Amino acid sequence: MILGIDVGGTHTDSVLMQNRKIIRKSKVLTDKNDILGCVMRATQAVATPDDIRQLHRIVLSTTISTNAVAQNQLDPVGLIVMNGPGVSPKDLPLADQTHLIAGYMNHRGKEAEALEDDELEALKQQFRADKIDNLAVIGKFSTRNPVHEQEVGAYFDGQASHVSLGHHQSGVLNFPRRIATTYLNAAIWRLHSRMVDQLASYLQGLGVDVPLFILKADGGTIGVEQSRKYPVQTILSGPAATIMGVLPFVSSTADSVSIDVGGTTTDIALFADGAPLLEPQGVEIEGHKTLIRGLLTHSMALGGDSHVQVIDGALQIGPERKGSAMAFDGPVPTPTDALIVLGRANIGDQAKALRAMESLAGSLQQTPQQVAQAIVDAMCARIATKVNEMIAEVNSKPVYTIHELLEGKVLNPQQLIAVGGPAPYIAEQVGALLALPAIVPQDSEVINASGAAMARTTVELNLLADTESQQLSFAEDGRKQKISSRISVDEIVDIGKERLLEIAKAAGARDEDLEVEVADLQSFNVIHGYATTGKNIRVRLQIKPGLIKQQQ
């Protein structure tokens, strides 16, 4: 059995699954001040003590890290950057928070400028005085040689509670994005670490020793204890959970679009021939352009509980959510109230929903039913418009899926998959506006929890082989090994695969889910004195996102 839990902003959903089928499902209210209690209540709502003893894995998706960034609830960070020449410091992200120091590796990973101990000692004194003990350390070419980052991190041992190093976050070259990624990792580390401690108490309370995973932005899982080092990877795990939950219902031979209509937001995702689209450079959150590998989604501030009001004689839906629908004793009219008045949703208190529409009808000189229809029409039209805008934007540039770059691909969805609480009541209308058949999967209201439950562990590894210096570097963990000057590309790939499998198993991956892909491969000649003296070979490998092969 597998337990999937999605800690959302309004509800915490849980499912108990076996053989890809939901045995039980539940929704409990989320208490942001007691996440441990929410997770425990969500567990007890679907799993008996006997079920818990039979669990083989527990997977959690959560909005905690995302909300911390969105609401700017971030810890102070000592941001240390080794910039070197070529880029003006003022053009780098977070320039006003950056402490620039000496130390520079060139593009081949060779030291071009040494660190200066006096600068490091001055920073140590400053951080101690300012009581900053969360640090982020980033060097421009640290993925080619992380020694400077490692030395700076070691210098603060004993003083800093945590140091995030740039090369640990991603092996991909993009200095500005690495700065933003490493900064966010440090800024949410304490919050995430407390959650990991709480989840350890949760497992202890269950009285079982079972693997516990957390969902990442790319739709893959990571062991919850291992995630303590990489909390930034869990940002945007909520939309990723939706995509993984939708995946079993997506056509493998046609393009598709999915909408997840929640209480506050609607999330849109696209699929090319059954594969979710990927953010090729990394996700962006609250203006921070990162290297976080993530699935491509778009979130709009429109949901079933969005505040509906009349402003200057016109209806306005959202963007705020003031609470539940008035039909559920909420404070203001919502689209859910409109759906109830129209008879589409047989939920809540119909008399209270009618009063919600009556509160808007007078100023618009319409009947409550006319107002309700106008609200639903506007909601569906906005969702359809945003879907079309997203498709147009994707088709204006190369299309990347979790598997590959699709050269010349033009996305042309043939089906709409709608999930979330309000989905059954608006799917057909949105589908008609998009000229697409609409599907509402069974148990769509808990699809995030089932998506988390079925997600496989994902890992990425970047390698750089320099045959002239006879050195192979593993970007993410800083390892190096000696290689032959005559080593072939295939041999490098084999070495990388072996290391990738080690990392994946350490992260909790099962043997049957270990599908290794070569995501990128480039080879360049190294020229000195008009002669080729070696090769520079770059390889990126991945355990691709997807669903586990089987469920016990």
Side-chain angles (χ1 to χ4, degrees):
M1 289 185 177
I2 294 176
L3 176 64
I5 301 174
D6 175 60
V7 183
T10 306
H11 291 98
T12 295
D13 301 340
S14 57
V15 294
L16 184 68
M17 302 187 72
Q18 189 169 32
N19 298 323
R20 290 192 180 275
K21 293 183 179 178
I22 295 176
I23 301 172
R24 298 186 201 97
K25 59 184 178 180
S26 173
K27 298 177 85 73
V28 301
L29 286 174
T30 296
D31 181 351
K32 297 176 183 177
N33 298 316
D34 184 19
I35 297 300
L36 176 60
C38 291
V39 173
M40 184 61 79
R41 289 192 294 275
T43 299
Q44 294 169 341
V46 297
T48 66
D50 186 56
D51 293 328
I52 290 171
R53 285 190 290 272
Q54 297 181 59
L55 287 175
H56 284 80
R57 76 194 304 239
I58 302 172
V59 188
L60 181 80
S61 69
T62 173
T63 61
I64 291 174
S65 295
T66 306
N67 291 344
V69 180
Q71 298 166 17
N72 200 30
Q73 297 173 344
L74 304 173
D75 283 342
V77 174
L79 182 57
I80 304 172
V81 174
M82 292 162 279
N83 185 41
V87 179
S88 172
K90 66 180 178 60
D91 293 330
L92 294 173
L94 302 158
D96 58 334
Q97 301 180 47
T98 297
H99 300 273
L100 294 169
I101 64 171
Y104 177 64
M105 296 289 179
N106 68 18
H107 67 285
R108 295 189 64 190
K110 296 181 179 180
E111 186 179 66
E113 181 182 68
L115 298 171
E116 294 184 6
D117 289 345
D118 289 348
E119 285 187 331
L120 294 176
E121 183 58 32
L123 277 181
K124 180 176 280 191
Q125 299 302 327
Q126 180 179 341
F127 292 157
R128 182 181 291 119
D130 294 340
K131 297 182 179 179
I132 294 175
D133 64 351
N134 262 356
L135 307 185
V137 182
I138 309 99
K140 183 182 293 183
F141 288 109
S142 61
T143 56
R144 302 289 169 82
N145 187 342
V147 168
H148 282 165
E149 287 186 355
Q150 293 166 340
E151 290 179 350
V152 173
Y155 196 89
F156 287 89
D157 277 351
Q159 176 171 314
S161 296
H162 173 76
V163 180
S164 292
L165 302 181
H167 72 279
H168 284 163
Q169 308 311 318
S170 173
V172 178
L173 281 178
N174 190 311
F175 186 42
R177 284 180 177 263
R178 187 175 299 103
I179 291 173
T181 307
T182 312
Y183 163 78
L184 289 177
N185 197 72
I188 64 173
W189 176 83
R190 199 183 310 275
L191 174 71
H192 184 84
S193 192
R194 282 199 297 266
M195 184 186 71
V196 172
D197 290 338
Q198 289 182 329
L199 291 174
S201 299
Y202 159 73
L203 278 182
Q204 188 175 9
L206 291 183
V208 294
D209 183 16
V210 59
L212 176 60
F213 300 92
I214 193 164
L215 199 70
K216 301 185 297 178
D218 68 353
T221 65
I222 184 174
V224 71
E225 183 58 42
Q226 190 182 31
S227 76
R228 194 191 297 268
K229 188 175 180 180
Y230 309 106
V232 74
Q233 298 296 332
T234 68
I235 286 175
L236 298 177
S237 74
T242 300
I243 292 173
M244 303 317 290
V246 165
L247 206 51
F249 305 96
V250 174
S251 169
S252 61
T253 59
D255 302 337
S256 307
V257 58
S258 73
I259 57 172
D260 178 12
V261 189
T264 307
T265 62
T266 294
D267 294 326
I268 304 168
L270 300 171
F271 303 78
D273 298 326
L277 267 59
L278 191 72
E279 288 279 14
Q281 290 187 294
V283 301
E284 180 175 348
I285 178 167
E286 298 301 315
H288 296 286
K289 294 182 178 180
T290 76
L291 286 172
I292 302 166
R293 177 182 166 85
L295 302 177
L296 178 64
T297 62
H298 182 88
S299 184
M300 55 189 302
L302 178 67
D305 293 339
S306 293
H307 179 198
V308 180
Q309 55 189 318
V310 177
I311 297 180
D312 296 330
L315 284 170
Q316 177 175 302
I317 308 175
E320 300 88 8
R321 177 186 185 272
K322 300 292 187 180
S324 300
M326 289 181 66
F328 294 93
D329 298 319
V332 295
T334 69
T336 296
D337 294 309
L339 290 165
I340 294 170
V341 167
L342 292 176
R344 294 196 191 183
N346 186 21
I347 55 177
D349 188 318
Q350 295 185 5
K352 291 179 179 178
L354 182 61
R355 285 198 290 274
M357 295 300 100
E358 287 173 344
S359 70
L360 302 170
S363 58
L364 292 173
Q365 298 184 338
Q366 294 179 351
T367 67
Q369 287 74 19
Q370 288 173 324
V371 173
Q373 189 64 60
I375 291 170
V376 174
D377 288 349
M379 182 180 188
C380 292
R382 280 177 58 186
I383 293 173
T385 297
K386 185 56 66 176
V387 168
N388 284 327
E389 289 175 354
M390 188 174 176
I391 293 170
E393 182 180 357
V394 166
N395 283 336
S396 69
K397 51 194 175 185
V399 176
Y400 289 83
T401 72
I402 58 173
H403 304 311
E404 59 187 333
L405 163 63
L406 300 180
E407 294 284 0
K409 171 70 176 179
V410 176
L411 209 67
N412 183 25
Q414 298 298 306
Q415 64 174 174
L416 168 70
I417 303 167
V419 300
Y425 317 124
I426 66 170
E428 186 175 345
Q429 185 170 344
V430 175
L433 292 170
L434 294 170
L436 296 176
I439 302 169
V440 179
Q442 186 177 0
D443 303 312
S444 69
E445 76 279 11
V446 291
I447 204 119
N448 281 29
S450 63
M454 294 187 294
R456 70 162 64 118
T457 300
T458 57
V459 180
E460 185 177 272
L461 181 65
N462 287 267
L463 298 88
L464 173 66
D466 189 330
T467 64
E468 183 186 40
S469 62
Q470 299 182 34
Q471 185 168 267
L472 175 63
S473 303
F474 299 88
E476 285 81 359
D477 59 13
R479 290 192 181 191
K480 296 181 183 296
Q481 72 178 62
K482 195 74 173 175
I483 57 173
S484 165
S485 61
R486 298 180 179 276
I487 194 169
S488 69
V489 171
D490 289 343
E491 289 173 314
I492 293 168
V493 170
D494 288 342
I495 293 171
K497 285 181 177 179
E498 183 177 350
R499 176 62 184 146
L500 184 71
L501 292 176
E502 290 176 4
I503 297 171
K505 289 178 181 179
R510 304 181 308 165
D511 288 342
E512 56 266 41
D513 297 321
L514 294 173
E515 295 184 26
V516 179
E517 284 188 333
V518 179
D520 191 27
L521 194 158
Q522 300 178 56
S523 179
F524 305 93
N525 289 330
V526 177
I527 309 295
H528 282 158
Y530 304 103
T532 300
T533 57
K535 287 186 178 294
N536 188 305
I537 303 169
R538 304 169 193 174
V539 179
R540 179 161 58 88
L541 303 170
Q542 68 170 353
I543 305 292
K544 65 183 179 182
L547 306 179
I548 55 176
K549 289 293 185 184
Q550 59 184 357
Q551 296 179 340
Q552 299 110 336

